Amino acid sequence: MDDVMRELSRVTLGGRELSDVLGEITGIAARAIPGAEAVSTTLIRDDKPFTAAYTGEMALTADELQYAEDGGPCIDAGRGGVVLRIDDMRSEERWPAYIARVRETEVRSSLSVPLPYQGSWIGALNVYSTQPQAFAGPESLEAGLGAAEAIAVAVANADAHAQLADQARNMRIAMESRAVIEQAKGVLMAQRHCDAEQAFEILRQASQRYNRKLREIAAGIVESTQTPQ
């Protein structure tokens, strides 16, 4: 287990697409979790689950059967924050719609571990096997918990970078808006022989009258004074 945690801790998060990071962690989980033959990462955004990364078509097939039924261990683990294990699909009685369909595949057992995130959950790490009771040992759960935590950290890191990018973009837009509004005020002050406060009031009234953003009105005034090249 220590080797698994060291390998997970060496995964680079910064400067990479989230899909690439999740793919690497999912691959590590597939190698590290005892009994694993196929592994997937389900994320839930706006209450809609999707497979963000997987190793082995068996995992993708089982995931998609659960999405189609809107029920199954990967969805319930991801939404409810509980570890769910199926030791044998042939005797499992929970999720009857999903179980009836997955029995037609080669999947015999599975383990779904929730992904913790800011006091809630954002999905699940799902592990599948063609053998019954493949994940009955404590080692499988321990390795799954470690991989799930690494995935949650990667998602949190990606979300933080996205928020910073949004903040930077919003700040740039605000600065650009302020600049063009000041230019438009200058144009109006020169044309109408008014002061800065009066010029801004003219812009504000035009914005309300034409139901357009203030910066759009300002940009139109500035553009009207520019000589065509």
Side-chain angles (χ1 to χ4, degrees):
M1 183 60 190
D2 290 341
D3 291 341
V4 176
M5 297 310 296
R6 279 195 293 270
E7 190 172 1
L8 290 171
S9 69
R10 288 196 291 266
V11 175
T12 301
L13 302 181
R16 301 176 62 190
E17 293 291 333
L18 178 60
S19 58
D20 293 337
V21 176
L22 294 185
E24 182 177 355
I25 296 174
T26 302
I28 293 172
R31 298 191 301 270
I33 298 175
E37 295 179 42
V39 178
S40 67
T41 295
T42 292
L43 294 182
I44 300 175
R45 301 285 195 180
D46 298 324
D47 205 40
K48 295 185 181 299
F50 64 96
T51 300
Y54 69 95
T55 62
E57 291 294 329
M58 180 168 63
L60 182 62
T61 298
D63 284 357
E64 291 184 339
L65 288 176
Q66 295 174 72
Y67 305 155
E69 299 296 338
D70 195 32
C74 84
I75 295 177
D76 287 0
R79 287 174 175 164
V82 292
V83 174
L84 293 171
R85 192 183 80 210
I86 297 178
D87 287 331
D88 195 337
M89 297 294 177
R90 294 179 181 176
S91 59
E92 180 59 56
E93 296 181 352
R94 295 170 292 178
W95 313 288
Y98 162 64
I99 293 299
R101 298 185 65 182
V102 80
R103 282 175 182 165
E104 300 175 0
T105 73
E106 57 185 344
V107 178
R108 285 292 300 276
S109 59
S110 68
L111 175 68
S112 291
V113 182
L115 308 177
Y117 185 77
Q118 297 180 355
S120 185
W121 302 275
I122 53 170
L125 174 72
N126 312 299
V127 196
Y128 299 96
S129 174
T130 60
Q131 302 300 314
Q133 298 185 333
F135 313 111
E139 298 84 2
S140 296
L141 176 58
E142 185 179 5
L145 289 170
E149 184 175 349
I151 290 170
V153 169
V155 174
N157 181 75
D159 285 351
H161 277 286
Q163 290 174 3
L164 287 174
D166 285 343
Q167 291 172 1
R169 182 168 57 252
N170 291 337
M171 184 177 294
R172 185 180 67 252
I173 291 173
M175 293 176 66
E176 291 172 351
S177 297
R178 181 175 179 178
V180 75
I181 289 171
E182 290 300 319
Q183 291 177 29
K185 284 167 59 179
V187 172
L188 291 173
M189 290 166 66
Q191 291 178 344
R192 310 247 182 134
H193 305 288
C194 60
D195 59 24
E197 185 176 344
Q198 291 170 328
F200 182 80
E201 183 62 20
I202 293 171
L203 289 173
R204 188 187 66 79
Q205 290 179 1
S207 174
Q208 292 180 340
R209 185 181 308 115
Y210 298 109
N211 194 27
R212 296 175 61 192
K213 293 180 179 180
L214 194 66
R215 67 171 178 268
E216 294 177 356
I217 297 294
I221 291 173
V222 172
E223 289 173 4
S224 68
T225 65
Q226 297 175 350
T227 304
Q229 298 295 320

